[in-house]
Amino acid sequence: MQDDAIKPIRKLSQLYAYTSIHMHETVARKAGLSGTDHKYLGFLIQKGQMTAGELAQLTGLTTGAVTGLIDRFEKKKLVKRQFAEDDRRKVLIVPDTKKIMALMEPLYKEFRRKSEQLIASFSSRQLKVIENYFLKAIEIMQETTNQLNEK
Amino acid sequence: MQDDAIKPIRKLSQLYAYTSIHMHETVARKAGLSGTDHKYLGFLIQKGQMTAGELAQLTGLTTGAVTGLIDRFEKKKLVKRQFAEDDRRKVLIVPDTKKIMALMEPLYKEFRRKSEQLIASFSSRQLKVIENYFLKAIEIMQETTNQLNEK
DNA sequence: ACTAATTATCTTAGTTACTAAGATAATATT
DNA sequence: AATATTATCTTAGTAACTAAGATAATTAGT
């Protein structure tokens, strides 16, 4: 591999990450959420209901900040607070998946369609290459993050 | 292309973007900057010196917020304020590239090495595929963002 | 050339989301 | 039954933001 091929692809991958953030932030704003609230709401959708403490751990926020986060979601009726049956100190955050989907889906619809079209335009051998790149690049970034956090 | 190949790669590309943000935020914190300050400092390095107003446009911040941003950078001696010769209302923000590099480079060194190694592990034909994916995916995300902003 | 309008940045007041630390209430331990 | 622990919430203080107005330099109109 020639050295001159390295830089453009690194630049491109940076631009990719940046553009992605920008898009997600725009979507968030259209949905009446901040960028971080949107991200954390995604956690709730993906993992399903969890306690306030679990969300604090997952997000890295303090419990106080999570209280505020849930308050904002609750005010918009996107989640419900519910005491856990086994331990009534715990607050289960129950996402209203339907409502959240109804809010987000229209904003992502075109993006999803075009993405699927793009992916379909590659052969499965080509997709393997892309997938492979992603997997290894993700691993590298995680290693970097972990190493920095250790020091 | 089979339908089942679409979902994993979309998930993967999401994880990629998310992991990238997370790494950059960790780097930022290690450098004593916030995530957004780090991002905007990157703009300054990439584009070189610019006026406060240009930075406001580029970042989407108000001029007041940019004043604060420059103040924080200046306090760390990462940039200098300088009145433009042609128009003394304008404030040129002159990045101290050397100092900024000296701050950032050690944090990214390992990441850079590993990334280059990863890229070098692909054939140039494979790299073309990856590049192509990035280019088109970026275009789709930009379109999505623009369409949302128009509405 | 003088006055008014515009432009570029800064300042101020108010807002939002955060942290740290302590309060409250439920559960676990001895 | 008293004490310790745990889960969440509350409060006080902070950082970075916006909106609107202040300041100072330039440009335009007469």
Side-chain angles (χ1 to χ4, degrees), chain A residues 19-149:
Chain A
T19 310
S20 169
I21 300 167
H22 193 218
M23 179 185 72
H24 286 294
E25 260 167 19
T26 304
V27 167
R29 213 182 47 249
K30 284 284 160 182
L33 299 169
S34 77
T36 59
D37 279 15
H38 178 212
K39 186 166 89 184
Y40 300 150
L41 193 59
F43 288 1
L44 272 169
I45 288 287
Q46 285 218 322
K47 294 233 173 189
Q49 62 175 231
M50 61 180 84
T51 66
E54 283 166 354
L55 187 59
Q57 260 208 315
L58 198 62
T59 58
L61 297 175
T62 59
T63 60
V66 167
T67 298
L69 183 66
I70 305 170
D71 285 348
R72 292 193 295 279
F73 288 154
E74 207 176 38
K75 200 180 281 177
K76 296 202 167 72
K77 315 256 188 192
L78 299 175
V79 310
K80 252 190 332 192
R81 270 185 173 92
Q82 204 176 290
F83 290 108
E85 286 193 11
D86 61 316
D87 183 343
R88 291 151 52 91
R89 289 167 305 178
K90 287 184 185 166
V91 167
L92 275 178
I93 316 165
V94 184
D96 185 339
T97 310
K98 254 195 187 159
K99 191 147 185 197
I100 296 170
M101 287 303 182
L103 180 67
M104 291 304 174
E105 217 136 56
L107 297 168
Y108 278 120
K109 204 179 156 193
E110 267 299 278
F111 171 68
R112 177 161 307 185
R113 194 186 59 73
K114 287 178 187 162
S115 296
E116 285 174 1
Q117 195 180 303
L118 172 61
I119 292 170
S121 79
F122 288 96
S123 72
S124 37
R125 180 182 297 184
Q126 288 175 327
L127 283 180
K128 281 249 164 58
V129 172
I130 297 169
E131 214 169 297
N132 196 240
Y133 174 82
F134 272 137
L135 279 171
K136 290 191 175 146
I138 288 170
E139 203 184 315
I140 289 173
M141 291 190 285
Q142 284 173 342
E143 271 172 31
T144 304
T145 305
N146 290 339
Q147 278 173 18
L148 287 173
N149 280 329

